[in-house]
Amino acid sequence: SYNMIPDDKVPYVPGYVGAQTTNAFEMTFDGVDDYFNTSFSGLNGVSEATISIWAKTSNVTLGRFMYGNRDSSSPFHGLACQTWTDGLIYFYVDSGSYLTFNMASYGIQNDKWFNIVFVYNGSGSNNSEKVKIYVDSNIVGYGLSGNFPSSLQTTLNPLTIGLDQAADSYWSGQIDEVAIFDKALTADQVKFD
């Protein structure tokens, strides 16, 4: 999406199947020190955003971060996503008050690819409208606790894939097809994408 010119962008049309590509490559992380620094810090202060990522791990309960851009202050500021030892996936929307929430590990199995999408809409009237989580296009979680701000109060730290700087925790497994949108995708758009 980053390199598209306006003429290349098309609206989401129900039933439309776009051009398919064959992608035989992914990023593999050893869980020790592998990660990507995207140099992207454009999530600070935005009122809408969506992050989509495909991931696979051989141990979903290992407790590792898929991505993050939190700072190391206490309390943290920024975003992060991780699997945890209880088999759940946790998302963090930290703006100085530890606004964490979790979701059920719906459809997530060891050694199987899954797509996880985090949607933030700061104009929502309550937490369940501001934060939505999808796994394989099925909504599985909402914002649970705290008072989510009207814009993401992240740091200027660039988004890293396979690491959350604040926790110094590295992903073990594969990650592919990372996409960041500057709007809150609808359920239909998540499914289409």
Side-chain angles (χ1 to χ4, degrees):
S1 299
Y2 183 81
N3 292 319
M4 283 184 174
I5 61 174
D7 290 344
D8 288 335
K9 296 180 181 178
V10 295
Y12 289 93
V13 178
Y16 170 77
V17 178
Q20 303 296 305
T21 60
T22 301
N23 180 359
F25 302 97
E26 71 272 342
M27 299 175 283
T28 300
F29 301 83
D30 64 9
V32 177
D33 58 3
D34 293 345
Y35 72 99
F36 279 90
N37 183 334
T38 68
S39 300
F40 176 74
S41 57
L43 293 173
N44 186 43
V46 299
S47 60
E48 293 186 24
T50 300
I51 300 174
S52 174
I53 194 167
W54 284 88
K56 181 173 74 168
T57 181
S58 59
N59 188 348
V60 75
T61 62
L62 190 59
R64 300 293 191 192
F65 279 86
M66 279 182 266
Y67 64 79
N69 73 339
R70 296 187 301 170
D71 60 27
S72 57
S73 65
S74 181
F76 298 138
H77 294 79
L79 298 171
C81 174
Q82 77 171 135
T83 59
W84 191 239
T85 56
D86 57 9
L88 300 180
I89 290 184
Y90 285 77
F91 278 83
Y92 302 84
V93 181
D94 293 333
S95 60
S97 56
Y98 295 107
L99 301 176
T100 63
F101 60 97
N102 69 297
M103 64 176 192
S105 55
Y106 174 88
I108 298 171
Q109 301 172 13
N110 287 330
D111 298 312
K112 301 284 185 183
W113 283 101
F114 62 92
N115 174 241
I116 187 160
V117 180
F118 165 83
V119 179
Y120 188 84
N121 184 354
S123 65
S125 60
N126 56 52
N127 286 349
S128 64
E129 291 180 5
K130 287 185 178 182
V131 175
K132 295 179 181 174
I133 306 300
Y134 298 83
V135 173
D136 296 335
S137 76
N138 297 294
I139 193 159
V140 296
Y142 299 93
L144 295 179
S145 62
N147 183 18
F148 291 99
S150 59
S151 63
L152 293 175
Q153 303 301 309
T154 65
T155 66
L156 295 179
N157 284 351
L159 186 71
T160 54
I161 300 169
L163 167 70
D164 175 49
Q165 301 100 311
D168 197 29
S169 173
Y170 297 85
W171 180 253
S172 179
Q174 286 78 38
I175 291 178
D176 196 13
E177 301 295 331
V178 178
I180 301 171
F181 301 85
D182 62 355
K183 57 186 67 207
L185 297 187
T186 67
D188 284 344
Q189 288 171 327
V190 168
K191 186 173 183 179
F192 177 88
D193 186 61

